[in-house]
């Protein structure tokens, strides 16, 4: 006969509930947010080249030549090699639309190749001229322009301070509304911080890009959670 230690079983069943009750946080729990808007000092451009050819080799050769020219141009205007990175590459067959209605297989009519490069421009004064230069040399695809900060640490620090101040103000307001005294801070955690640069879609159909670019501001955000004790009378 197998004997069951019922005392142990009861303890195991009750332990999770007791642990959850013991770890339930008491007090005033608040979340604060802080946001800082600053002027950006760099930009990231995603640009590329796309070509079609009768053969895969032809399409690849057209793209390779143009991308080599773009990278060389970027280097000549002062963009460091470490700020140039291939971020996408593809080669695919191209078929005609015959067969959509009659059910016959479509015909292979060529190949399409593409190469995408992400470029960091650390001097916004030359951003427009840089774009003009790569368009002239062969760039025919743009997937956006993102403004950012080279060193967001100062803005993030200020955003955290504002988030803590916001959380403390909320806690004091709640304590006053509840008719209790706010006790000491017992826990603080950061829920996350991020820089939210504005996005801008670009078109390559302008004679000059200088007048088409507005850098705006970059928003840096922080969020914190504070737990205060309720001071006993």
């Amino acid at each position: 006969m197998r004997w069951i230690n019922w005392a142990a079983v009861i303890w195991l069943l009750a332990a999770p509930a007791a642990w959850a009750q013991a770890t339930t946080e008491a007090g005033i729990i608040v979340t604060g947010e802080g946001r800082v808007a600053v002027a950006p000092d760099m930009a990231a451009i995603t640009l590329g080249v796309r070509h079609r050819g009768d053969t895969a080799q032809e399409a690849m050769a057209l793209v390779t030549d143009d991308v080599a020219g773009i990278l060389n141009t970027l280097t000549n205007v002062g963009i460091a090699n470490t700020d140039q990175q291939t971020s996408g590459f593809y080669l695919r067959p191209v078929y005609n639309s015959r067969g959509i209605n009659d059910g016959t297989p479509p015909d292979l009519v060529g190949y399409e190749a593409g190469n995408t490069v992400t470029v960091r421009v650390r001097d916004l004064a030359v951003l427009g001229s840089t774009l003009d230069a790569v368009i002239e040399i062969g760039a025919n695809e743009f997937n956006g322009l993102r403004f950012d900060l080279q060193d967001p640490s100062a803005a993030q620090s200020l955003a955290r301070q504002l988030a803590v101040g916001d959380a403390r103000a909320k806690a004091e307001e709640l304590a006053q509304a509840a008719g209790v005294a706010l006790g000491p801070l017992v826990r603080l955690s950061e829920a996350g911080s991020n820089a939210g640069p504005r996005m801008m879609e670009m078109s390559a159909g302008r004679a000059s890009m200088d007048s088409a670019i507005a850098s705006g501001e970059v928003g840096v955000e922080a969020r914190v959670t504070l737990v205060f004790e309720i001071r006993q009378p």
Side-chain angles (χ1 to χ4, degrees):
M1 178 181 296
R2 179 178 298 174
W3 295 95
I4 299 176
N5 190 334
W6 290 106
V9 172
I10 294 172
W11 182 85
L12 288 173
L13 293 174
W19 179 85
Q21 183 176 5
T23 57
T24 299
E25 205 155 27
I28 297 177
I29 305 173
V30 289
T31 298
E33 298 180 345
R35 187 178 191 277
V36 178
V38 294
D41 59 5
M42 69 169 290
I45 319 162
T46 303
L47 55 90
V49 176
R50 177 176 60 180
H51 283 302
R52 284 189 180 183
D54 293 335
T55 65
Q57 291 80 2
E58 180 183 352
M60 285 294 301
L62 291 170
V63 168
T64 300
D65 288 345
D66 280 353
V67 170
I70 289 171
L71 296 178
N72 185 58
T73 298
L74 290 171
T75 300
N76 289 338
V77 299
I79 306 297
N81 290 335
T82 53
D83 287 332
Q84 307 172 32
Q85 183 178 45
T86 298
S87 53
F89 185 86
Y90 71 88
L91 173 67
R92 60 190 175 212
V94 178
Y95 298 91
N96 65 10
S97 58
R98 190 176 71 84
I100 294 179
N101 296 323
D102 59 15
T104 59
D107 293 325
L108 177 66
V109 295
Y111 290 85
E112 181 179 275
N115 192 331
T116 303
V117 179
T118 298
V119 183
R120 288 190 294 267
V121 179
R122 299 182 184 274
D123 182 3
L124 295 183
V126 301
L127 178 57
S129 60
T130 299
L131 292 173
D132 288 335
V134 296
I135 290 171
E136 183 177 355
I137 203 67
N140 58 15
E141 280 204 332
F142 288 88
N143 297 323
L145 168 63
R146 179 172 60 89
F147 292 102
D148 212 336
L149 299 173
Q150 296 186 50
D151 182 8
S153 57
Q156 288 175 342
S157 177
L158 179 55
R160 290 186 181 104
Q161 294 176 41
L162 294 174
V164 171
D166 179 53
R168 181 174 289 276
K170 289 178 180 177
E172 292 172 349
E173 181 180 349
L174 288 172
Q176 183 178 5
V180 299
L182 190 66
L185 176 67
V186 296
R187 185 173 67 84
L188 185 153
S189 63
E190 184 176 17
S193 61
N194 68 286
R198 299 190 178 187
M199 298 296 293
M200 172 182 157
E201 292 301 321
M202 302 187 331
S203 170
R206 300 231 181 184
S208 174
M209 296 300 295
D210 284 319
S211 61
I213 297 172
S215 59
E217 292 181 327
V218 175
V220 180
E221 299 178 350
R223 179 177 297 179
V224 298
T225 298
L226 274 60
V227 179
F228 292 90
E229 287 185 358
I230 296 176
R231 191 182 302 278
Q232 299 299 324

